[in-house]
Amino acid sequence: MYTIGETAELLGISAHTLRYYEKEEIVRPLRDAGGDRRYDESHIKWLQFVIKLKETRMPIASIKKYASLVIEGEQTAGDRLNLLAEHQRSIRAQMQTLQDADEMLTFKIASYRTLAEA
């Protein structure tokens, strides 16, 4: 079991972010006898996934929706599939945009190298 500070450090996020995720019902930490938050390995794995969704620009509203679907159970598998498939399409579009930009930059850099060497 990890404290909120240990969990934040382990995940590279702030304790404030963990509290926000709890407030938004994205994560539901356990509580010890004193009422302090405790996170187990399942919380860590879940939060790692949430962080990846956030890093890949999934809106917080969609992350909340996904979290609520997970809590609702297996009957929401189709909805979860659709939500994640849509996000994957978005990621692939982002990747294509980055690839296109990289190709343009490669061309420009090569052009400037040629000019600089002349």
Side-chain angles (χ1 to χ4, degrees):
M1 294 291 237
Y2 302 95
T3 65
I4 191 169
E6 292 166 337
T7 302
E9 185 174 341
L10 182 67
L11 296 171
I13 60 177
S14 68
H16 174 77
T17 298
L18 286 170
R19 285 187 210 91
Y20 173 75
Y21 286 165
E22 181 181 4
K23 178 180 159 271
E24 295 298 321
E25 298 182 348
I26 292 170
V27 66
R28 295 180 178 182
L30 303 170
R31 298 284 180 157
D32 66 13
D36 293 327
R37 293 169 180 87
R38 294 289 182 240
Y39 300 85
D40 63 18
E41 289 302 321
S42 67
H43 291 110
I44 300 301
K45 287 179 183 173
W46 169 251
L47 287 162
Q48 288 170 330
F49 182 62
V50 167
I51 290 165
K52 285 298 171 205
L53 294 176
K54 188 77 177 111
E55 288 175 345
T56 55
R57 299 183 184 172
M58 180 181 267
I60 202 75
S62 296
I63 296 171
K64 285 175 62 172
K65 175 68 174 167
Y66 183 79
S68 72
L69 291 169
V70 169
I71 291 167
E72 287 181 44
E74 289 184 23
Q75 71 273 15
T76 66
D79 292 333
R80 286 184 272 162
L81 169 65
N82 292 336
L83 199 148
L84 292 179
E86 177 59 34
H87 186 59
Q88 186 178 51
R89 284 189 288 278
S90 173
I91 289 171
R92 288 181 175 165
Q94 291 174 50
M95 290 169 57
Q96 186 60 54
T97 299
L98 290 172
Q99 182 64 39
D100 294 345
D102 184 58
E103 289 171 11
M104 282 190 218
L105 287 170
T106 297
F107 174 77
K108 281 292 193 188
I109 289 167
S111 297
Y112 286 124
R113 281 195 176 129
T114 300
L115 283 173
E117 292 170 0

